[in-house]
Amino acid sequence: MYMAKLIIPIESSEIFLNIVDHLNKKESDNCISVFINAKANNVTFIGGIYPEYMLCNAELEPGHGLKNSEFAIPRDFFINMKNLKTDYWQANNTPHILHLSYENGRYTTVQFCLYLTKDILTKNQDYLPMDIFDLDVAHQKHIAYFKANNQRAFQRVPVTTLQYILHETQYYVPFEFIQFNGEKGELRYQRNGKVNEKMLPEHIKPPLSFALTQHAATQLTQICNNTESPDIEICIEGDAISFKSPEQSMTCILSDIELFYQRDVYKPQTILNFQADLWALKMRNDALWKQQEIKAANQCVLFIEGNEMFICSILDHSQSFKPIATNISIEDPLLFAYCPKTLSELPIKNMLNMTQTRATLTKDKQGEYKLNIYRNLQDRLPYGSIDLKPEQPKLKQYQALKRKYDETQEKRFIIQPDPSEKQGQLAFDEVVEDPFGFDED
């Protein structure tokens, strides 16, 4: 019998412990299967909750002395390992060192080796525990996953593209499903059983179409954060989606994904369909959002009357009012409050093309209003929306503010003197008396 060290390096620690934390003590696969490829200097760990297994790849130390093998380590070993690290003040940013005993052509037992500093060892060496765990054969489900993962038809997607996609999902939390259609440039999402569609932002161009649940988005985020590779590989098989990097792999089950694909898109009533200077709207909103009083109130107002639209605000210490160029036309005035932070965060890439484009005002069966913004006049779907809250009881206040705006128009600018006029020459006829009261001789 001889001993060999199987070392899980620091850079693989987070991925490895994530597998440990997902072991289910009630199931037969309550273990981590280990696959050692001595020639390739590689070891693979597989575990988790079936069928959403996770896989961790790690490089073996030079001169490791390990043999090709596959076996399983029970969950109790890892629980004991984590407790020992805590008891002896060993941080998780140290390697995990597993002592394996080998006899009769196979690895038979495993012990955890603490990675201690000399002062801790000196104080506690007489009290170090010894815990030896028998190894089992690699679990059949883990073996099947290992083989299938090597045979899957993965497609490469740049990590930067996936990071843009994952950032976009944050606008729809909580959601049941979100689908990115790379061919059509469209996004489809389901929240509270209701399905909506939008245009994808221009900077998101996925090379394949796929859907995520919130759990799958979390797992994909973890893979992106723990790889140095420029690409992540994705494989879609029915209701399963698998992610793969050089360091790890994992599979997520998208339960009821077919129902999501079959659901009709929710279509609210369109109240208004118009064009507007969205550049001016967005820029004015962003300027207002920088004001502390606006931030505290977290509210601005859209006021629509006749063939005019205004972005405005009435607060305790300030009043703001600005017209927005539009071709809108309504009979009865409308007043809506909205969250300026939401509009400020709306990703609009090429604002110069937004000076005259399409917007709609919609109302759903629950009486909820939205302002939907389109990238151009021909788009079938909006690329962004903001929630609107009716504020009709405050209409007279804003109509009064509009009258004040109209009445004081000429007080908000000064016409500069003509450059041809002499410096110091007055721009208007006025007799100026001697300020000191002296008459000229």
Side-chain angles (χ1 to χ4, degrees):
M1 182 180 74
Y2 75 91
M3 303 287 287
K5 291 187 180 72
L6 174 57
I7 300 175
I8 302 162
I10 296 171
E11 53 269 25
S12 302
S13 179
E14 182 179 346
I15 301 170
F16 175 72
L17 291 175
N18 193 32
I19 298 177
V20 173
D21 292 338
H22 280 81
L23 295 178
N24 187 346
K25 62 183 178 182
K26 296 180 180 180
E27 299 297 332
S28 63
D29 55 358
N30 182 29
C31 60
I32 290 181
S33 292
V34 182
F35 301 86
I36 299 174
N37 187 331
K39 187 175 181 180
N41 291 318
N42 176 267
V43 58
T44 300
F45 303 90
I46 297 178
I49 300 175
Y50 177 83
E52 298 189 320
Y53 282 143
M54 292 179 281
L55 178 155
C56 171
N57 284 321
E59 291 187 8
L60 295 174
E61 294 283 318
H64 53 77
L66 292 165
K67 301 179 183 296
N68 287 344
S69 184
E70 55 184 56
F71 51 85
I73 303 175
R75 174 179 177 270
D76 284 347
F77 168 84
F78 300 106
I79 300 303
N80 178 73
M81 176 194 77
K82 292 175 71 175
N83 288 335
L84 276 175
K85 295 191 81 169
T86 301
D87 291 344
Y88 284 85
W89 306 285
Q90 183 179 345
N92 280 327
N93 60 354
T94 55
H96 302 283
I97 304 173
L98 283 56
H99 267 188
L100 302 174
S101 60
Y102 188 88
E103 56 182 320
N104 299 326
R106 68 184 186 92
Y107 290 106
T108 57
T109 64
V110 60
Q111 297 183 59
F112 181 65
C113 177
L114 287 165
Y115 190 76
L116 301 178
T117 59
K118 186 176 292 186
D119 60 327
I120 293 177
L121 178 62
T122 303
K123 295 176 183 177
N124 297 283
Q125 60 185 345
D126 293 336
Y127 305 100
L128 289 174
M130 181 182 72
D131 298 288
I132 302 174
F133 290 80
D134 290 339
L135 297 175
D136 300 317
V137 295
H139 199 282
Q140 285 301 315
K141 289 181 179 178
H142 294 166
I143 295 173
Y145 181 81
F146 188 42
K147 291 180 179 177
N149 204 56
N150 290 328
Q151 296 171 357
R152 288 189 171 103
F154 284 94
Q155 296 185 61
R156 290 184 175 274
V157 182
V159 171
T160 51
T161 298
L162 292 175
Q163 288 171 334
Y164 285 136
I165 285 172
L166 291 167
H167 182 266
E168 186 70 16
T169 65
Q170 297 305 305
Y171 293 104
Y172 307 96
V173 172
F175 61 87
E176 287 100 47
F177 297 99
I178 189 165
Q179 180 191 19
F180 296 85
N181 191 316
E183 183 179 349
K184 295 182 178 180
E186 296 178 0
L187 180 152
R188 176 185 174 99
Y189 66 96
Q190 177 180 314
R191 185 161 52 188
N192 298 324
K194 187 169 67 177
V195 176
N196 285 283
E197 290 180 314
K198 289 176 59 176
M199 293 297 293
L200 276 172
E202 289 182 312
H203 63 282
I204 299 181
K205 298 177 181 178
L208 75 160
S209 299
F210 63 94
L212 299 170
T213 58
Q214 269 194 241
H215 170 67
T218 300
Q219 297 296 77
L220 180 55
T221 300
Q222 198 253 342
I223 282 197
C224 289
N225 291 342
N226 285 284
T227 186
E228 296 181 359
S229 171
D231 301 308
I232 298 292
E233 296 180 79
I234 296 179
C235 175
I236 303 165
E237 298 172 315
D239 64 352
I241 184 167
S242 297
F243 311 118
K244 182 180 179 182
S245 73
E247 297 84 2
Q248 65 182 128
S249 300
M250 59 180 62
T251 298
C252 297
I253 303 300
L254 311 180
S255 301
D256 298 326
I257 187 68
E258 288 302 321
L259 291 177
F260 166 62
Y261 291 145
Q262 295 167 14
R263 265 197 184 102
D264 291 331
V265 175
Y266 177 72
K267 295 181 178 179
Q269 177 188 1
T270 299
I271 306 297
L272 291 172
N273 189 342
F274 59 96
Q275 296 176 38
D277 186 349
L278 299 182
W279 164 267
L281 178 67
K282 178 74 161 55
M283 292 301 99
R284 178 61 174 173
N285 175 85
D286 292 353
L288 291 173
W289 181 237
K290 294 176 182 178
Q291 300 176 22
Q292 289 302 313
E293 192 175 21
I294 296 285
K295 280 184 178 289
N298 195 23
Q299 180 175 288
C300 285
V301 169
L302 284 178
F303 174 32
I304 305 171
E305 188 173 50
N307 59 357
E308 297 178 298
M309 182 170 72
F310 311 91
I311 177 174
C312 39
S313 173
I314 299 177
L315 297 173
D316 292 341
H317 304 287
S318 63
Q319 298 176 352
S320 299
F321 197 86
K322 177 179 171 58
I324 301 297
T326 180
N327 70 346
I328 207 165
S329 179
I330 62 171
E331 293 184 4
D332 299 319
L334 296 171
L335 192 72
F336 297 100
Y338 73 93
C339 172
K341 183 176 187 290
T342 303
L343 181 55
S344 180
E345 292 178 346
L346 197 64
I348 299 177
K349 186 176 181 181
N350 187 359
M351 294 298 300
L352 293 176
N353 291 335
M354 302 298 294
T355 53
Q356 200 63 239
T357 193
R358 180 176 165 227
T360 58
L361 176 66
T362 57
K363 178 184 179 182
D364 65 16
K365 294 178 181 178
Q366 286 72 42
E368 296 178 351
Y369 290 83
K370 286 184 182 294
L371 177 69
N372 310 290
I373 301 173
Y374 297 75
R375 190 172 292 128
N376 56 59
L377 301 179
Q378 291 74 38
D379 277 351
R380 179 177 68 90
L381 299 173
Y383 75 91
S385 301
I386 60 172
D387 294 331
L388 301 177
K389 177 185 175 185
E391 292 283 5
Q392 293 302 104
K394 298 180 181 179
L395 185 60
K396 289 185 177 180
Q397 297 179 49
Y398 285 89
Q399 287 175 327
L401 186 62
K402 180 181 181 298
R403 287 194 298 271
K404 182 177 180 181
Y405 175 87
D406 293 335
E407 293 167 358
T408 60
Q409 177 75 9
E410 293 183 359
K411 294 183 179 180
R412 290 190 295 276
F413 62 89
I414 298 175
I415 298 177
Q416 297 183 31
D418 191 302
S420 63
E421 295 179 2
K422 294 180 180 179
Q423 186 175 2
Q425 182 177 338
L426 296 177
F428 46 86
D429 295 330
E430 184 176 344
V431 177
V432 180
E433 297 181 358
D434 182 353
F436 299 103
F438 299 121
D439 292 330
E440 292 183 358
D441 292 334

